[in-house]
Amino acid sequence: FFYRRGPIVNVVPKIRLVDQGRGDDVVDLVPPFSPIHCLRKGEEIWSLDNRRLYALQLAAMDLWPRRCRVQCLSRDRLPRHKFKTQYRKFNTTSGGRSIDVCTRYQQFDTWSWHERAVELEWYSLSKRLGAMLFVFEIAPIIGAILYRNGLTGFASRVPLVIGFCSAFAVDFIRQQVPVFERKLAQMQVNATMDREL
């Protein structure tokens, strides 16, 4: 919850998208709340406002795989009087790929932008593979109909039956063992984030 703005999901639609039109495929997110406060520790940036970060990441995932950026306020060290209340925010088990949205005594949610990006890529990949395998399943059936009418150069139906069975088997295995598609989706997300695409 944001104190005066209600649940986080109510704030996400209010985040404006500003495309600078520079052709670099980067979108600026302009939130209705003040900028995120961050602490810079070497090359790493640690958010002190995970609820705001959560809202911005939800908005950014609607634009995946486009890159998003946001204005933030950064410091190199915390003031002494803030250290007591902020020290709990400086631990991570995911290398910054997920955030815990919580108050001092209650956890609301754990959000992983990386997992959400993998889900989006996985869905897209699965849809494309399914369409491609559907074509390979239909082609032998059309070939068998043409064979029956004598319009193909095949001497027998065996290649058509083998083609149909192979496409069906590959599609069945793909649906029963999704670990390969998920791994491909993870590789796609990592390549997108490393700007290798």
Side-chain angles (χ1 to χ4, degrees):
F1 284 96
F2 285 104
Y3 297 110
R4 287 181 286 283
R5 300 187 194 280
I8 292 172
V9 293
N10 292 349
V11 175
V12 174
K14 297 176 185 173
I15 295 174
R16 291 183 302 128
L17 312 173
V18 179
D19 191 354
Q20 298 295 338
R22 286 177 262 163
D24 58 359
D25 204 32
V26 176
V27 176
D28 290 326
L29 300 178
V30 181
F33 44 81
S34 60
I36 294 177
H37 291 84
C38 297
L39 182 70
R40 185 178 297 277
K41 293 174 71 178
E43 294 292 317
E44 297 177 341
I45 297 176
W46 295 76
S47 167
L48 300 177
D49 301 316
N50 280 355
R51 288 174 283 192
R52 292 177 185 166
L53 178 62
Y54 177 47
L56 290 166
Q57 285 181 348
L58 284 173
M61 281 295 104
D62 290 339
L63 301 170
W64 178 261
R66 292 184 73 185
R67 291 180 164 271
C68 298
R69 65 181 168 205
V70 66
Q71 183 180 14
C72 65
L73 301 174
S74 175
R75 293 182 175 194
D76 290 328
R77 60 186 177 90
L78 274 177
R80 217 178 260 275
H81 69 279
K82 288 242 181 189
F83 189 75
K84 270 187 179 179
T85 58
Q86 303 292 330
Y87 78 93
R88 65 187 167 79
K89 297 180 180 178
F90 298 107
N91 59 8
T92 181
T93 57
S94 66
R97 290 184 173 181
S98 67
I99 56 173
D100 292 324
V101 181
C102 59
T103 61
R104 286 188 187 114
Y105 307 109
Q106 181 182 11
Q107 180 161 342
F108 298 114
D109 196 6
T110 298
W111 163 254
S112 173
W113 65 266
H114 189 265
E115 286 300 314
R116 178 67 180 138
V118 168
E119 287 173 12
L120 291 171
E121 287 294 334
W122 190 6
Y123 175 75
S124 175
L125 175 66
S126 182
K127 211 163 91 172
R128 284 181 275 173
L129 281 175
M132 184 179 71
L133 287 171
F134 176 74
V135 168
F136 281 114
E137 289 170 2
I138 292 296
I141 294 171
I142 293 170
I145 292 169
L146 293 174
Y147 174 80
R148 182 166 172 89
N149 294 330
L151 299 174
T152 64
F154 292 125
S156 73
R157 294 184 192 159
V158 174
L160 301 172
V161 172
I162 290 173
F164 176 76
C165 291
S166 332
F168 185 78
V170 169
D171 195 21
F172 181 76
I173 290 169
R174 178 186 70 86
Q175 292 176 17
Q176 297 301 315
V177 187
V179 69
F180 299 113
E181 280 185 19
R182 182 167 176 79
K183 186 66 178 167
L184 281 173
Q186 286 174 340
M187 290 168 56
Q188 174 75 12
V189 169
N190 292 339
T192 301
M193 293 311 298
D194 293 338
R195 295 183 181 194
E196 293 177 2
L197 296 179

